[in-house]
Amino acid sequence: MADSAGIQQGSPAIGAAGLVPAAPGAGGTEGSGAAGGSARIAVKKAQLRSSPRPKKLEKLGVYSSCKAEGACKCNGWKSQNPPPTPPRTDQQSNTVNLQEPCRSCSHTLGDHVTHLENISEEEMNRLLGIVLDVEYLYTCVHKEEDADTKQVYFSLFKLLRKSILQMGKPTLEAQESPPFEKPSIEQGVNNFVQYKFSHLPSKERQTIMELAKMFLNQINYWQLETPSQRRQRVPNDDAAGYKANYTRWLCYCNVPQFCDSLPRYETTQIFGRTLLRSVFTVMRKQLLEQARQEKDKLPPEKRTLILTHFPKFLSMLEEEVYSHSSPIWSQDYLAGVSGGQIPIHTGSTHPHKLTCRSSRFTPLQTHPSIGEKRKPSEPLPYEENKRPRVVGDIPMDLINEVMATIADPAAIPETSLLSAHSARDEAARLEERRGVIEFHVIGNSLNQKPNKRILMWLVGLQNVFSHQLPRMPKEYITRLVFDPKHKTLSLIKDGRVIGGICFRMFPSQGFTEIVFCAVTSNEQVKGYGTHLMNHLKEYHIKHEILNFLTYADEYAIGYFKKQGFSKDIKVPKAKYVGYIKDYEGATLMGCELNPSIPYTEFSVIIKKQKEIIKKLIERKQAQIRKVYPGLSCFKEGVRQIPIESIPGIRETGWKPVGKGKELKDPDQLYSTLKTILQHVKVTTHTNTLNAVHAEYLHPNAWPFMEPVKKTEAPGYYQVIRFPMDLKTMSERLKSRYYTTRKLFMADMQRIFTNCREYNPPESEYYKCANLLEKFFYTKIKEAGLIEK
């Protein structure tokens, strides 16, 4: 990067075979020059390592302090006939004289290398590799014009120089070690593929994986702009944060690609969303421009992939990168997702293990202290990370096996006909995938020149709403559809509008008002209405508005109920009074969105889950081969028998739940469960002298009062798939979730089971779980919910 002040951020061509990074100090970003610089360094190291041992000693003597008696302060032997600076191996003489005096301290070359006489050839070759890296960085320091980059090169130069003097391994001294942010870019892209494309058939999903790999590969070889360049381009950006990441990138990713004596990491494995945000916009623009310029040079099999699919992939990813509520950047996003992650990685190392590329360095690992609150005793590698099973859970191996049969196209017969039990939006989703229908959010504008196509669509929407909503005045519909403050999600088929949802967003109030919703009469009962609403939900999740409000007449209430709306309004009244339009004779309904749900694919996910359950039941039934004779006891006058006495019932996996009365009255059940939960959390003590009652926290309940915090146990939610705590149970009880005693007991048992699965038996938490469980069942028996 000799001319870094004039170099733009960039990378080698998309789709090029064998992408190579640009060498530090090489200038430019073309792959050919970078490859040549890297190859020259490798050739020099090979030549030097094949030299005779005296020649190697001479080379190392230049960087070795004098060991002669008298406390000589010379820090490197200097020949009487100095070679060019830095020294070049191809211009040195063939004979080496260990008695030749040093030009600086007059001691011989042998006095400078006495400490090297007995070291192995392997260790000597390692030191020689560091020597050439030092000389390369020396050149970079003198050629580099950017002050920040020059400072990093000089720091690395001193570090390697010190390693030679001390015969040690170079270790970067920094306050933080990789990874610098979690989840990493690689993990985020993995989550993105899982979040958006897990429902696709295997062939289409493979295409998405290729795009993801291509994108990650580009980032790993992307040349970051210097902090000074970025300050000029984005003056209001976080300059200090970018400079810190730029320095880390140089030290751990860029320079080690050429100076292999330094540990090297992939950019996508040690950096996260912050760095990706700082480069994504420029990177996307340059990649697409470069693809258009070089489309004729691309192989035919990659042309469609790069020119058609890659831009769409980047647009979808860009929305998740800059969205504040995107779930893909949550560290526990894939915790508990059956099937695991889609393996996307760019090298031979495993994508989920932070791996150092240099063979002389071990991967960075952390060892949490044993005995801290709810932390595992040691980290488990990804390949062996078998989550502890909770009693009653289905083994993940079995889930993965069933998932493979469901995802395998050969195992599922294809048909063009939809099942009678298909989801309402399945036909619409298939039509969208084939390109028959399209969805566009459009609106009128007073600031930009009108787009003819958009104006035609707006007129079409006005006609659809007028025909399907005859009770609404046509002038009123026209005014709102063409109002710049309103937008409409339009459904387009064969170039014409067949439906849409008109809405107005109130970002400051945290909700959107749905004004009109209609599909033309001859296109109804095809799932378009459901698919329209699902697209609208995803649009609002991307814009961080998670509440819908609408006034529905008696004909529309049924539709909105099917889309998740209810009369229970979650938005505070003060937020929407005076904002939303009031309609006489209509019912106000609301819908709260969950940002973790991909609504347009939600029915596919539910269908897949049902298929998994069906397959699991079939497998369980296949294991039960023994046929038992019928029950003859009823012929003898017996009117009732215990369930567990039925032959074969236990072999099916049935287990008896604690016997006891099931309270039919909801209010009585609520009152009983509330009393039991209160006893579990709080104990009451009475002073017999003055009859004063005092409540104290139950001595064994304190670890379970609230959900486990990620800061206290970072790996907890990767191990415990179904967490539970007393605070969550209180909220569930308040919302009348517990309609039976069994639900209540199952959640309480989950608390104790999770604790015992996660913590060692000798821990305080394990003992608290046992004692509180015993106390809980005592109270359950006292209430008569199970037999004593």
Side-chain angles (χ1 to χ4, degrees):
M1 293 193 295
D3 302 317
S4 62
I7 297 173
Q8 292 185 349
Q9 200 172 350
S11 78
I14 307 174
L19 292 175
V20 287
T29 57
E30 292 300 323
S32 59
S38 180
R40 283 194 296 272
I41 298 172
V43 169
K44 283 184 178 181
K45 289 186 178 182
Q47 290 176 346
L48 188 56
R49 286 165 177 164
S50 62
S51 302
R53 190 174 179 89
K55 194 74 173 177
K56 296 179 180 180
L57 290 172
E58 182 187 34
K59 187 70 174 177
L60 289 171
V62 176
Y63 298 91
S64 302
S65 58
C66 183
K67 305 298 186 298
E69 296 180 1
C72 180
K73 296 182 179 180
C74 177
N75 61 359
W77 180 77
K78 302 172 184 62
S79 174
Q80 296 290 342
N81 300 309
T85 302
R88 293 179 56 183
T89 57
D90 55 351
Q91 294 189 5
Q92 294 178 0
S93 61
N94 293 325
T95 58
V96 176
N97 181 12
L98 294 179
Q99 300 304 317
E100 182 179 349
C102 173
R103 181 160 45 92
S104 176
C105 67
S106 301
H107 293 115
T108 65
L109 171 60
D111 291 330
H112 288 75
V113 297
T114 53
H115 62 297
L116 301 173
E117 292 177 356
N118 298 321
I119 66 171
S120 65
E121 199 70 17
E122 182 182 0
E123 177 64 12
M124 186 171 288
N125 287 337
R126 184 186 73 82
L127 293 173
L128 287 171
I130 301 179
V131 166
L132 286 184
D133 287 344
V134 166
E135 294 178 356
Y136 185 72
L137 284 172
Y138 178 87
T139 304
C140 293
V141 169
H142 284 77
K143 287 185 177 181
E144 183 59 55
E145 295 180 0
D146 179 73
D148 296 318
T149 310
K150 184 191 285 278
Q151 183 179 3
V152 175
Y153 288 162
F154 186 63
S155 298
L156 294 175
F157 169 82
K158 292 193 297 183
L159 171 67
L160 295 182
R161 184 79 173 80
K162 181 180 178 181
S163 298
I164 300 172
L165 288 171
Q166 298 179 353
M167 296 178 64
K169 295 181 179 180
T171 303
L172 293 170
E173 296 179 1
Q175 293 182 350
E176 290 186 75
S177 299
F180 302 110
E181 188 175 4
K182 290 183 179 180
S184 66
I185 296 173
E186 187 176 82
Q187 181 70 51
V189 174
N190 263 296
N191 293 351
F192 169 70
V193 173
Q194 182 77 19
Y195 177 50
K196 289 291 187 180
F197 308 105
S198 61
H199 63 280
L200 294 179
S202 58
K203 186 176 180 181
E204 296 179 24
R205 192 165 63 249
Q206 185 62 36
T207 301
I208 298 299
M209 290 169 61
E210 288 183 23
L211 294 173
K213 291 178 184 178
M214 183 190 307
F215 175 74
L216 292 173
N217 197 53
Q218 291 293 321
I219 296 180
N220 284 330
Y221 292 128
W222 194 258
Q223 298 298 303
L224 299 188
E225 57 188 344
T226 63
S228 58
Q229 290 174 330
R230 184 168 180 81
R231 281 194 297 269
Q232 294 175 3
R233 187 174 64 82
V234 192
N236 298 325
D237 192 35
D238 179 13
Y242 181 81
K243 183 178 179 180
N245 275 337
Y246 177 76
T247 302
R248 293 164 177 166
W249 171 77
L250 280 176
C251 293
Y252 290 97
C253 304
N254 182 253
V255 174
Q257 294 180 44
F258 303 90
C259 300
D260 61 4
S261 53
L262 291 169
R264 183 197 165 199
Y265 301 89
E266 297 284 15
T267 305
T268 54
Q269 291 184 348
I270 65 174
F271 291 100
R273 187 184 196 180
T274 304
L275 181 72
L276 185 58
R277 279 182 166 180
S278 65
V279 303
F280 191 93
T281 305
V282 176
M283 180 181 176
R284 177 177 179 267
K285 181 180 178 181
Q286 291 191 17
L287 284 178
L288 297 181
E289 180 63 30
Q290 195 170 9
R292 285 190 290 268
Q293 292 177 357
E294 301 181 4
K295 61 182 179 180
D296 296 331
K297 300 178 184 179
L298 294 172
E301 65 274 8
K302 285 202 171 186
R303 194 170 298 164
T304 303
L305 182 71
I306 292 171
L307 297 181
T308 304
H309 301 303
F310 199 41
K312 295 179 181 178
F313 177 87
L314 291 178
S315 296
M316 294 178 70
L317 180 59
E318 184 174 25
E319 293 178 355
E320 302 301 326
V321 169
Y322 292 102
S323 170
H324 295 291
S325 59
S326 174
I328 70 171
W329 302 105
S330 171
Q331 289 191 45
D332 58 341
Y333 171 71
L334 284 180
V337 175
S338 61
Q341 296 194 30
I342 299 173
I344 298 173
H345 51 99
T346 57
S348 59
T349 57
H350 198 285
H352 306 287
K353 289 177 70 178
L354 184 61
T355 312
C356 176
R357 286 297 185 89
S358 174
S359 61
R360 293 184 291 274
F361 290 82
T362 56
L364 297 179
Q365 295 180 346
T366 57
H367 301 277
S369 303
I370 299 174
E372 294 182 23
K373 184 176 181 180
R374 302 194 189 190
K375 292 184 180 180
S377 57
E378 61 182 27
L380 297 174
Y382 179 82
E383 296 87 343
E384 300 174 2
N385 191 1
K386 305 294 184 182
R387 295 189 181 96
R389 286 192 59 204
V390 178
V391 176
D393 285 347
I394 301 170
M396 285 304 300
D397 292 341
L398 179 57
I399 292 287
N400 293 335
E401 187 179 341
V402 172
M403 278 289 293
T405 62
I406 292 175
D408 184 7
I412 304 175
E414 291 192 6
T415 175
S416 59
L417 300 176
L418 294 175
S419 165
H421 302 287
S422 297
R424 287 189 298 271
D425 63 336
E426 187 164 343
R429 185 170 50 252
L430 292 175
E431 287 190 11
E432 182 185 14
R433 190 175 298 171
R434 294 198 299 266
V436 177
I437 59 175
E438 298 176 357
F439 295 88
H440 300 276
V441 176
I442 60 175
N444 196 13
S445 174
L446 300 179
N447 302 322
Q448 299 178 355
K449 186 178 179 180
N451 182 298
K452 184 178 179 180
R453 186 178 65 166
I454 291 179
L455 287 177
M456 292 295 293
W457 284 348
L458 288 173
V459 171
L461 285 163
Q462 183 260 347
N463 290 331
V464 170
F465 292 145
S466 297
H467 282 91
Q468 299 303 128
L469 306 172
R471 297 168 63 179
M472 284 288 177
K474 190 171 183 179
E475 296 79 8
Y476 178 70
I477 293 175
T478 304
R479 178 161 60 87
L480 293 189
V481 169
F482 285 88
D483 177 18
K485 295 179 181 179
H486 288 71
K487 295 181 181 180
T488 305
L489 174 63
S490 55
L491 171 58
I492 311 298
K493 186 174 184 179
D494 298 328
R496 63 185 180 88
V497 175
I498 65 169
I501 301 177
C502 182
F503 60 94
R504 181 174 177 182
M505 303 168 74
F506 295 95
S508 62
Q509 305 304 110
F511 76 93
T512 281
E513 177 192 8
I514 295 178
V515 186
F516 307 126
C517 176
V519 175
T520 188
S521 56
N522 61 338
E523 296 287 355
Q524 292 181 2
V525 202
K526 295 183 179 180
Y528 291 153
T530 297
H531 207 43
L532 256 174
M533 186 61 71
N534 287 337
H535 269 286
L536 187 68
K537 290 176 180 178
E538 292 210 345
Y539 177 82
H540 279 78
I541 288 173
K542 291 171 184 175
H543 288 78
E544 302 174 22
I545 297 178
L546 302 180
N547 284 283
F548 286 162
L549 292 178
T550 189
Y551 272 98
D553 60 22
E554 66 269 25
Y555 303 107
I557 289 177
Y559 164 78
F560 282 109
K561 280 186 176 180
K562 292 177 182 177
Q563 309 309 319
F565 286 72
S566 73
K567 298 176 185 178
D568 181 18
I569 309 301
K570 302 295 184 182
V571 181
K573 192 172 183 178
K575 288 281 187 180
Y576 64 82
V577 170
Y579 289 88
I580 188 172
K581 292 174 278 294
D582 196 353
Y583 297 92
E584 185 178 351
T587 302
L588 181 63
M589 303 185 73
C591 178
E592 187 176 18
L593 307 183
N594 186 330
S596 299
I597 296 178
Y599 283 96
T600 54
E601 304 299 335
F602 188 58
S603 60
V604 178
I605 296 171
I606 297 299
K607 180 182 177 182
K608 188 174 290 187
Q609 290 175 345
K610 288 181 178 178
E611 290 175 354
I612 293 173
I613 297 299
K614 183 180 177 182
K615 290 281 185 182
L616 290 171
I617 292 173
E618 290 174 357
R619 289 182 175 228
K620 191 68 177 178
Q621 289 175 340
Q623 295 172 2
I624 306 171
R625 303 188 181 278
K626 187 174 180 180
V627 179
Y628 293 88
L631 295 173
S632 59
C633 56
F634 298 109
K635 295 180 180 179
E636 301 170 359
V638 177
R639 297 180 59 85
Q640 183 179 355
I641 63 172
I643 295 178
E644 58 267 27
S645 66
I646 299 175
I649 190 70
R650 291 186 180 274
E651 286 78 355
T652 64
W654 178 86
K655 294 179 181 178
V657 181
K659 299 177 183 178
K661 63 179 181 180
E662 190 67 76
L663 300 178
K664 301 296 183 182
D665 182 9
D667 293 333
Q668 185 182 359
L669 176 65
Y670 173 80
S671 177
T672 303
L673 297 183
K674 183 179 180 181
T675 301
I676 294 173
L677 186 59
Q678 188 69 14
H679 280 306
V680 170
K681 294 193 296 184
V682 177
T683 57
T684 303
H685 298 276
T686 304
N687 189 321
T688 56
L689 294 178
N690 51 18
V692 175
H693 298 273
E695 292 186 343
Y696 301 94
L697 182 69
H698 193 286
N700 298 311
W702 62 269
F704 316 110
M705 293 299 293
E706 293 186 350
V708 177
K709 296 178 181 177
K710 294 180 183 179
T711 53
E712 295 179 355
Y716 183 81
Y717 292 98
Q718 275 73 37
V719 176
I720 298 301
R721 296 165 54 203
F722 304 106
M724 185 52 60
D725 59 273
L726 296 175
K727 182 180 179 181
T728 302
M729 288 191 65
S730 298
E731 293 170 353
R732 287 188 169 189
L733 181 64
K734 187 177 180 181
S735 64
R736 302 296 178 115
Y737 168 82
Y738 298 117
T739 55
T740 68
R741 63 184 174 90
K742 294 179 182 178
L743 284 174
F744 180 79
M745 292 172 65
D747 272 357
M748 187 67 75
Q749 187 61 50
R750 175 75 65 179
I751 294 177
F752 308 135
T753 305
N754 286 347
C755 181
R756 285 192 288 261
E757 290 288 346
Y758 196 81
N759 297 286
E762 65 276 7
S763 68
E764 187 176 359
Y765 309 106
Y766 196 104
K767 296 173 183 176
C768 284
N770 287 342
L771 293 172
L772 192 63
E773 180 183 32
K774 185 177 179 181
F775 177 79
F776 166 70
Y777 278 102
T778 300
K779 292 299 178 182
I780 285 285
K781 292 175 183 178
E782 289 177 0
L785 296 184
I786 61 174
E787 291 183 356
K788 298 182 179 180

